[in-house]
Amino acid sequence: MGVTRRDRIRNTIIRKTLGVEFSILDRITRKRLHYFGHVQRMPPSRLPKMAFECHIQGVRPRGRPPKRWRDCLLADCKRTNLNSIVNASRTTVDRTVWRDIVMRMPPLNPQLE
């Protein structure tokens, strides 16, 4: 479009003009959920599956803990009306159902961008 930040046009207006339905955050969320389904269908001996299911012992330092991939997945699952990662992992067994859930996920609130 040739628009710069100096033009002070909102992202929602630019996306609507270009016909882009979803924001980049929506695309990242969908890709994350697609990969989660892929990891859940892996055999337990694969490294990505073992890394996802491992629990590290120890004490974290003071302050706010860093955001983990599992935390992002939990927020994404809540957006798709799956209340927990356990429910989501049960749903990933059927690829077509999981794909439909991910594709029908509502977009993020455009007012927050």
Side-chain angles (χ1 to χ4, degrees):
M1 268 182 66
V3 177
T4 65
R5 299 298 296 165
R6 288 185 183 177
D7 296 333
R8 299 178 62 101
I9 299 175
R10 292 192 176 269
N11 290 337
T12 54
I13 295 171
I14 294 172
R15 277 199 306 270
K16 195 178 293 184
T17 304
L18 294 175
V20 177
E21 192 172 333
F22 298 103
S23 70
I24 189 71
L25 295 177
D26 292 328
R27 293 191 65 162
I28 291 170
T29 301
R30 283 188 176 170
K31 293 289 185 180
R32 185 168 37 230
L33 287 173
H34 275 293
Y35 187 68
F36 171 69
H38 182 66
V39 168
Q40 288 302 309
R41 288 186 296 271
M42 285 181 183
S45 61
R46 296 279 309 271
L47 286 177
K49 179 96 173 191
M50 289 190 299
F52 180 73
E53 293 176 351
C54 77
H55 296 284
I56 299 172
Q57 300 294 326
V59 179
R60 288 185 168 202
R62 278 181 54 184
R64 181 179 177 184
K67 198 169 202 180
R68 300 172 298 178
W69 191 61
R70 187 180 289 267
D71 300 333
C72 294
L73 276 175
L74 184 60
D76 296 341
C77 289
K78 287 181 181 177
R79 276 184 58 203
T80 58
N81 294 328
L82 298 168
N83 296 329
S84 69
I85 293 179
V86 175
N87 290 341
S89 62
R90 288 182 191 143
T91 309
T92 60
V93 174
D94 189 1
R95 289 180 184 202
T96 56
V97 171
W98 182 248
R99 187 180 306 123
D100 289 341
I101 288 172
V102 171
M103 295 311 281
R104 291 182 185 172
M105 186 176 54
L108 284 172
N109 189 358
Q111 302 298 335
L112 298 176
E113 294 178 0

